[in-house]
Amino acid sequence: MAKKKTIRTIPQERTPMRELDPAVRAKNFDEVACGYTAVDAMREAERCLLCPDQPCVSGCPVGIDIPGFIQSIGEKDLRGAYDILTSTNLLPAICGRVCPQENQCEGVCTVGESLESVAIGRLERFVGDTAIKEGWINIPYIEPNRFKVGIVGSGPAGMACAADMAKAGCDVTVFEAFHQPGGVLKYGIPDFRLPNAVIDAEIDKLRKFGVKFECNTLVGRLFTVEQMTGEMGFDAVFVGVGAGYPTMLGIPGDSLNGVLSANELLTRCNLMRAKEFPAFDTPQPSARRVAVVGAGNTAMDAMRVSIRLGAEKVYCIYRRSAKEAPARAEEVHHAEQEGVEFHWLTNPVAVLDDGKGSVRGMRCVRMELGEPDDSGRRRPIPVAGSEFDFEVDLIVYAIGTNANPIMGQTSKLRLNQWGYIATDEHLATSMAGVFAGGDIVTGAATVIEAMGAGRKAARSMKAYLGLRDIHRPYAGGGASLFGIDRSERNFARVQVV
Amino acid sequence: MKERPMSNFEIVKREDFSDVTYLLEVRHPLMAKAAKPGQFVIVMLNEHGERIPLTIADFDRERGTITLVIQAVGKTTRQMQQECRVGSSLYAMVGPMGVPSPISHAKKVICVGGGLGVAPIYPQARGFKEGGAYVIGVVGFRNKSLVFWEDKFRACCDEFIICTDDGSAGIKGLVTAGIEQAIAKHPDIDEVVAIGPPIMMKGCADATRPHKIKTMVSLNPVMVDGTGMCGGCRVKIGDQVKFACVDGPDFDGHLVDFDDLMMRLRRYTKEERVALDHWEKSCRMQKAIDVAADASPLNP
């Protein structure tokens, strides 16, 4: 019988994961984090105590059975681990790479209280990558029903919703405005963090489930959501168009040549492959010195892309301090290793003109932290008289986004005061049969939250269509009655006396 | 894995107006049904291509086609001129993008098209005519040999004025001369719609400003996605910043900061030159290969 694991008997150090050398990787777009080997994964799986509390499961936005899949890895049953993972999260190779685990599962891990937490994200990625390599796919027999479902947007929310509805037997079509599916995964997250090959492999898996992808389709303009539920015959629609409309600083010089949003830089580089110009036609702005305003994941991506595009100096300009930076810890760490210079507590006040309509430099003011604001973070206040100028050739704004306006312009979907789609707690919108989730509802958030929203909307859509969900695992406790979700509300309550 | 586009965006008609301007009619029944005057598409010629915005010059809901009139200026438009024949396909075409032009209840309008702007102003002129307005069409070309669609305009305009730089057709002068002529004759013009190069639209806005006539223009900044997510097409309208792809492309000409637009249009001039040189070099190399192949003793 195996000896019971305690905090003292497990490997004390977290298994390191090989990463590309910073000096080398700053010149190419190869994936930086190399992933675990099978030996690494076994050792790291050992470190999970399989504790009774399971805080990691509640820490996960979609409630993956984390101890379950880690135990399977330990038993060398990788296929079993994949089955457990995919019963809740369909895209483990993606989430393992981009989830902010330190704020989710790993942040509450029991082992993490005294040692470094179990590297749950790396283990998830290991299983996901193995599945891609081995070509595993779990397609149970699916009884097709007569329901036609439309998904607007092929980003993480749309993909997750599509998978669930396809597994339920619906005829699912995903509409995407770009010429390639993937949404923010494709255009926003660079190859060195999330390779396009991984995204395409996961999309192919969805195709095997029968999901159809129609690209070059701008829903709202080519046809409206009303037309979808009307003459086009869709029985239910999910809107996951994202919140990509970038925010500009609104300071003088915003429109000078050489100022662009992070979205534009990343779309040119990642989706349009401008890094390979002129083999690919889309140009990208080249610059010796780049300043990126912001410290979220998008800002980190913009900085690390700029380094790889050949910038000699890349600055991060952020008005708060390092502690308040919203980016994933690993991204800040990687950016530092690759040579980004961080200027915390610094806020731009103007972009300086070179007299020919292009950027010459930037004027900033130093900040200090005052009392906390609504978000709970300490509010930055300018230090009077601390303005200074410095020279740059390119300025990238990564300070947040707003709702994409096209849905609001072209449909009667009710929006909230900030322009996002208004939904109830089941993600239903003001139009019958139309559901929405992801950034277009919540504002800019993470990939896993978008996927969680896609899955939640799928549950609501199945309830709306009257579909019994035979694939959803029994959620224990009082949540379901013989597998029937009490919140479905399409059966009469029976009191047990 | 290569993504196959929804339909094959097949070209069903091609017409060359000059050695730089050409027309392509592309099959897209859904888009033909949805398109309205003032909207545009974003097109990719092939997988390596860039995304370029092109105004929808016309749409035929029965035939299920969209018409694009293109000027061969940069690498992509020149390559399209060379490669797009009847039966060939575009890699991607998405639209109709932009807010449709508000065909207002104006009773008397001047529809102004300069150079390439002549094509997209046509559906607007037709739209106003169908709405019952009195339409004065003013079109400008460099010289007589570049004039196209004269008959189409005469069919939907109550008055039609051609302006040429050298006076070889119509009146000699820029379209602003045509506008002045129309305003002088009609004191009751409700609205002017002007489409063409930014400098021309600026000139039209300046011409109508003293007469306080509402002037709508269609802006053509550099674009990437066309769906409002990159901000590359941002323009200054009054004291606000708008995205031409989702807030426009039509704006009030008297509020547009044309100098800012023209400055921002130049931001990739260096790269555009590199792309053109690179492509012309590969064309020369291809031609040399073809010539050598023809002359080869192995050629049957």
Side-chain angles (χ1 to χ4, degrees):
Chain A
M1 193 179 91
K3 227 168 56 182
K4 183 163 163 40
K5 288 199 270 193
T6 73
I7 194 78
R8 273 187 283 262
T9 62
I10 59 171
Q12 302 287 288
E13 305 281 312
R14 180 191 264 205
T15 315
M17 182 167 69
R18 197 174 80 83
E19 292 176 352
L20 294 186
D21 174 73
V24 172
R25 76 192 192 218
K27 294 194 171 50
N28 64 41
F29 280 80
D30 294 342
E31 196 174 1
V32 169
C34 301
Y36 274 161
T37 61
V39 168
D40 293 334
M42 287 291 298
R43 182 184 180 279
E44 191 59 23
E46 256 303 293
R47 298 183 72 241
C48 171
L49 288 173
L50 299 172
C51 62
D53 285 344
Q54 302 189 340
C56 49
V57 179
S58 16
C60 171
V62 294
I64 296 175
D65 177 10
I66 294 173
F69 93 81
I70 294 184
Q71 189 171 19
S72 294
I73 296 179
E75 291 162 5
K76 297 209 171 107
D77 178 13
L78 292 180
R79 186 72 204 246
Y82 180 63
D83 291 344
I84 294 175
L85 264 177
T86 51
S87 67
T88 327
N89 173 15
L90 309 147
L91 311 172
I94 293 178
C95 288
R97 285 169 165 83
V98 303
C99 264
Q101 291 96 357
E102 72 266 19
N103 298 337
Q104 296 169 180
C105 51
E106 293 175 15
V108 292
C109 170
T110 305
V111 172
E113 283 166 26
S114 22
L115 305 170
E116 244 192 309
S117 69
V118 176
I120 302 171
R122 292 174 180 176
L123 289 172
E124 179 184 29
R125 179 200 159 157
F126 171 72
V127 174
D129 284 351
T130 309
I132 293 178
K133 195 162 60 107
E134 301 293 330
W136 291 336
I137 181 166
N138 292 331
I139 311 187
Y141 169 69
I142 303 172
E143 177 82 28
N145 56 44
R146 53 192 163 77
F147 292 118
K148 202 166 122 170
V149 169
I151 313 271
V152 184
S154 68
M159 279 165 72
C161 188
D164 275 0
M165 298 310 287
K167 285 206 278 198
C170 301
D171 171 7
V172 179
T173 309
V174 178
F175 297 107
E176 166 59 46
F178 269 131
H179 52 284
Q180 279 183 33
V184 72
L185 302 172
K186 262 286 169 67
Y187 72 72
I189 306 183
D191 267 352
F192 55 79
R193 236 179 9 112
L194 179 59
N196 279 351
V198 170
I199 305 170
D200 288 336
E202 302 283 35
I203 289 175
D204 269 350
K205 225 178 276 181
L206 290 183
R207 284 207 181 90
K208 292 200 174 89
F209 272 98
V211 175
K212 289 170 283 197
F213 285 88
E214 301 270 15
C215 292
N216 297 301
T217 305
L218 183 61
V219 175
R221 292 277 172 220
L222 188 62
F223 47 81
T224 61
V225 170
E226 279 89 342
Q227 281 174 291
M228 284 174 78
T229 52
E231 69 211 42
M232 291 174 77
F234 285 97
D235 298 295
V237 170
F238 173 75
V239 176
V241 298
Y245 195 99
T247 309
M248 297 285 140
L249 265 176
I251 57 178
D254 252 1
S255 65
L256 289 172
N257 290 339
V259 179
L260 67 169
S261 71
N263 270 358
E264 185 180 347
L265 178 75
L266 293 170
T267 303
R268 281 179 183 271
C269 190
N270 300 333
L271 179 66
M272 305 308 297
R273 297 176 60 174
K275 52 190 179 325
E276 293 160 67
F277 177 85
F280 280 76
D281 290 348
T282 305
Q284 87 234 334
S286 61
R288 273 195 312 121
R289 301 158 300 185
V290 180
V292 177
V293 183
N297 288 317
T298 309
M300 296 299 142
D301 285 341
M303 289 171 225
R304 296 170 68 198
V305 162
S306 298
I307 291 203
R308 284 157 174 77
L309 295 178
E312 286 165 20
K313 286 225 166 286
V314 176
Y315 308 114
C316 169
I317 311 289
Y318 186 52
R319 61 194 186 123
R320 296 185 218 253
S321 73
K323 245 182 349 126
E324 285 90 18
R328 249 177 126 237
E330 192 179 18
E331 309 314 328
V332 181
H333 172 63
H334 282 156
E336 280 169 343
Q337 284 181 317
E338 288 162 15
V340 172
E341 261 181 55
F342 286 87
H343 293 266
W344 306 109
L345 292 166
T346 310
N347 203 25
V349 293
V351 178
L352 306 171
D353 192 338
D354 70 348
K356 289 178 286 191
S358 293
V359 168
R360 173 171 61 84
M362 205 152 79
R363 174 165 300 152
C364 294
V365 69
R366 298 272 180 222
M367 310 292 274
E368 56 187 1
L369 291 178
E371 290 306 303
D373 67 10
D374 311 329
S375 71
R377 293 183 290 170
R378 291 178 68 190
R379 205 159 44 87
I381 313 170
V383 173
S386 67
E387 305 200 343
F388 66 101
D389 294 354
F390 62 98
E391 291 196 343
V392 282
D393 312 299
L394 193 75
I395 299 176
V396 182
Y397 289 164
I399 51 175
T401 55
N402 295 309
N404 188 288
I406 295 183
M407 279 294 129
Q409 284 172 338
T410 59
S411 74
K412 293 196 178 51
L413 284 169
R414 194 150 39 89
L415 308 175
N416 70 15
Q417 67 196 109
W418 298 286
Y420 297 110
I421 297 184
T423 58
D424 68 5
E425 71 271 24
H426 300 288
L427 297 184
T429 66
S430 60
M431 275 171 59
V434 179
F435 299 76
D439 286 7
I440 191 65
V441 171
T442 60
T446 60
V447 166
I448 187 72
E449 284 172 81
M451 280 179 45
R455 303 211 74 195
K456 185 168 169 191
R459 283 198 286 281
S460 305
M461 287 158 81
K462 280 184 266 193
Y464 171 78
L465 295 172
L467 289 174
R468 178 76 40 230
D469 192 345
I470 62 170
H471 296 295
R472 191 156 148 257
Y474 259 52
S480 74
L481 187 64
F482 303 123
I484 297 173
D485 187 347
R486 281 185 181 165
S487 68
E488 268 189 43
R489 298 190 297 195
N490 61 358
F491 56 89
R493 287 225 142 142
V494 176
Q495 187 98 7
V496 176
V497 269
Chain B
M1 148 119 182
K2 233 185 2 180
E3 179 55 36
R4 230 159 269 118
M6 174 171 97
S7 71
N8 58 3
F9 310 117
E10 195 187 316
I11 294 163
V12 298
K13 178 174 150 185
R14 170 165 173 160
E15 205 182 316
D16 286 78
F17 295 136
S18 70
D19 57 358
V20 287
T21 314
Y22 56 101
L23 174 153
L24 295 177
E25 199 175 333
V26 185
R27 195 172 65 87
H28 198 317
L30 262 180
M31 204 190 295
K33 211 169 78 146
K36 300 201 178 58
Q39 292 186 300
F40 62 97
V41 295
I42 288 217
V43 154
M44 278 176 79
L45 178 59
N46 56 44
E47 222 182 3
H48 292 231
E50 54 170 343
R51 294 170 66 87
I52 63 169
L54 293 169
T55 321
I56 296 176
D58 202 358
F59 44 88
D60 189 327
R61 306 205 207 273
E62 268 105 52
R63 275 161 56 99
T65 61
I66 296 285
T67 298
L68 308 168
V69 175
I70 307 167
Q71 194 167 38
V73 173
K75 190 256 182 183
T76 303
T77 45
R78 285 204 201 174
Q79 192 176 4
M80 285 173 73
Q81 185 188 38
Q82 218 179 57
E83 294 180 12
C84 292
R85 307 270 152 211
V86 173
S88 68
S89 296
L90 299 169
Y91 171 70
M93 184 168 85
V94 59
M97 292 168 148
V99 178
S101 293
I103 303 283
S104 65
H105 301 296
K107 306 252 191 357
K108 193 174 280 190
V109 296
I110 310 180
C111 290
V112 190
L116 208 60
V118 168
I121 200 75
Y122 167 70
Q124 304 223 25
R126 185 178 62 190
F128 274 112
K129 187 80 194 125
E130 285 165 3
Y134 183 91
V135 178
I136 304 165
V138 176
V139 298
F141 298 94
R142 274 213 313 278
N143 60 57
K144 185 168 175 200
S145 67
L146 299 170
V147 174
F148 64 88
W149 281 9
E150 189 176 336
D151 37 330
K152 283 175 82 145
F153 274 93
R154 289 202 188 274
C156 74
C157 295
D158 297 285
E159 281 178 43
F160 186 53
I161 306 172
I162 299 183
C163 309
T164 44
D165 290 5
D166 61 359
S168 47
I171 64 179
K172 178 172 170 169
L174 304 171
V175 290
T176 39
I179 294 174
E180 301 284 4
Q181 187 179 303
I183 293 178
K185 184 171 166 196
H186 300 269
D188 56 340
I189 307 275
D190 292 314
E191 189 174 325
V192 172
V193 182
I195 306 184
I199 188 97
M200 171 222 138
M201 294 190 287
K202 181 178 181 195
C204 295
D206 290 342
T208 59
R209 205 188 307 264
H211 303 280
K212 293 195 176 38
I213 304 174
K214 175 175 163 204
T215 303
M216 296 300 284
V217 295
S218 177
L219 302 186
N220 60 342
V222 170
M223 290 185 187
V224 185
D225 62 297
T227 59
M229 49 73 77
C230 83
C233 63
R234 62 189 184 278
V235 288
K236 287 190 182 157
I237 311 293
D239 56 3
Q240 294 190 312
V241 172
K242 300 272 183 195
F243 291 4
C245 64
V246 288
D247 301 316
D250 289 359
F251 293 102
D252 181 342
H254 293 151
L255 294 176
V256 173
D257 184 341
F258 283 102
D259 292 330
D260 177 72
L261 173 67
M262 290 190 279
M263 175 190 81
R264 285 179 58 74
L265 276 167
R266 292 198 291 270
R267 69 186 181 277
Y268 288 111
T269 321
K270 190 165 60 116
E271 287 83 0
E272 285 164 7
R273 185 76 254 162
V274 168
L276 211 45
D277 288 343
H278 181 82
W279 184 67
E280 283 172 351
K281 183 169 133 187
S282 74
C283 284
R284 284 197 295 273
M285 276 167 50
Q286 185 60 50
K287 227 184 232 173
I289 292 171
D290 291 342
V291 164
D294 284 342
S296 158
L298 298 170
N299 204 8

